Amino acid sequence: MRVPMIIGNWKMNTTVSEATELVNEMRQELDQTGSVDKVICPPFISLTTVRELIKGSSIKLGAQNLYFTEKGAYTGEISPLMLADLCQFVIIGHSERRQYFNETGEVTNKKMRAALKVKLNPILCVGEKLEENEEGRTEEIVTEQLRTSLAGLDYLTGLIIAYEPIWAIGTGKAATAEQADETIGLIRHNIFELYNERAARDVRILYGGSVTAANTTEFMRQPEIDGALVGGASLRASQFLSIVKQTAETRRVR
Ligand code: PGA
């Protein structure tokens, strides 16, 4: 059963007090919006505070990254064990990590393994660059990223995949709902090939890239799209709430 899911990725935004304000602004309404899984991913330093603020609500917490070693002399890094203590989800392989911090597919794979070991639910991001899209290589790139990231891993219940075309992230130029649906269908087919029919039916695959309150419904009407990974629009309580509510109205449990 695939319950729709909306994830807010705050990226490197909000101080602890701004994070507190943002959560306070939307907590009650967000909590009351049913039939959608709601996850917020604030910066590491706000995880503890946000965790306290959403305690007892239906809002879930995620981190934006992790290091793949359990502990040790890795100055400045955050380990899977530290996160497992605080939250349930972790974003892995976001294109900004791949682009600005040179994260390769192998690193993404190590992070997937590390997350699974401590029972954190990974939100695995894949997506092609603009030139790859223009060259008609979307399928090839997304398939390659998926297979490298999942290499050697048994299918896990709770896997979440986000298809985020890089050219659509933070640009205000979202993919069309049909484009996103087609690639997400392809990802689902890959999961079928890698695992089995049940895995393909169960895996939740979200779209990400310039999702706003203005285009949410269009995406959620598509048969393959199970929700959204929202960046910019998740920093405004009213936008995020509207995205979640529209999803609840449009996209039923499948
Ligand atoms: P955006 O970011 O919604 O600001 O385009 C999406 C993401 O990177 O997860």
Side-chain angles (χ1 to χ4, degrees):
M1 210 173 63
R2 308 201 309 267
V3 177
M5 175 177 261
I6 298 294
I7 304 172
N9 173 12
W10 295 2
K11 308 195 179 182
M12 199 176 71
N13 295 293
T14 68
T15 59
V16 175
S17 49
E18 285 165 347
T20 305
E21 227 172 280
L22 183 54
V23 173
N24 282 339
E25 234 183 297
M26 59 187 180
R27 178 182 46 203
Q28 200 184 356
E29 261 185 274
L30 208 51
D31 179 34
Q32 287 165 356
T33 312
S35 58
V36 178
D37 281 340
K38 301 140 291 193
V39 182
I40 48 180
C41 303
F44 286 135
I45 58 158
S46 293
L47 283 173
T48 311
T49 307
V50 173
R51 181 173 181 251
E52 287 309 307
L53 292 170
I54 61 176
K55 212 174 229 168
S57 80
S58 59
I59 308 163
K60 295 174 177 137
L61 190 61
Q64 300 173 17
N65 183 30
L66 85 175
Y67 192 57
F68 48 75
T69 301
E70 275 183 13
K71 59 179 165 183
Y74 300 97
T75 303
E77 290 297 328
I78 303 287
S79 95
L81 277 178
M82 297 171 190
L83 292 178
D85 203 32
L86 285 177
C87 59
Q88 294 159 270
F89 296 88
V90 61
I91 299 174
I92 293 180
H94 191 282
S95 65
E96 284 150 16
R97 301 292 320 168
R98 298 180 195 256
Q99 221 178 334
Y100 306 134
F101 304 97
N102 304 319
E103 277 193 19
T104 60
E106 285 67 33
V107 170
T108 302
N109 180 257
K110 281 188 184 174
K111 291 188 171 186
M112 288 292 292
R113 286 166 191 264
L116 297 178
K117 203 165 160 202
V118 296
K119 300 198 162 49
L120 274 169
N121 296 304
I123 302 158
L124 172 64
C125 303
V126 294
E128 82 287 0
K129 295 185 187 136
L130 181 62
E131 60 268 29
E132 292 163 342
N133 180 278
E134 287 171 348
E135 288 162 8
R137 296 173 58 213
T138 301
E139 176 169 351
E140 173 204 335
I141 299 295
V142 166
T143 300
E144 201 274 323
Q145 287 176 349
L146 209 56
R147 295 196 173 220
T148 314
S149 307
L150 295 171
L153 294 176
D154 289 338
Y155 179 72
L156 68 142
T157 358
L159 172 66
I160 295 145
I161 299 174
Y163 167 56
E164 299 206 304
I166 297 174
W167 46 271
I169 297 178
T171 57
K173 187 182 176 292
T176 65
E178 292 74 21
Q179 267 174 327
D181 193 61
E182 189 188 332
T183 308
I184 288 177
L186 169 99
I187 294 172
R188 203 175 295 287
H189 183 71
N190 263 284
I191 295 296
F192 167 71
E193 283 187 352
L194 284 170
Y195 301 103
N196 53 46
E197 199 178 331
R198 177 147 194 205
R201 204 178 52 226
D202 286 354
V203 64
R204 282 188 283 186
I205 314 178
L206 320 181
Y207 167 75
S210 297
V211 172
T212 63
N215 59 22
T216 298
T217 296
E218 236 175 286
F219 285 112
M220 297 313 145
R221 280 201 187 114
Q222 300 299 319
E224 297 288 354
I225 303 180
D226 296 320
L229 178 53
V230 187
S234 70
L235 292 166
R236 285 167 51 206
S238 59
Q239 277 272 326
F240 193 64
L241 279 167
S242 168
I243 290 170
V244 170
K245 284 183 185 165
Q246 289 182 54
T247 303
E249 283 156 18
T250 318
R251 168 64 172 75
R252 301 281 163 214
V253 173
R254 286 181 183 134

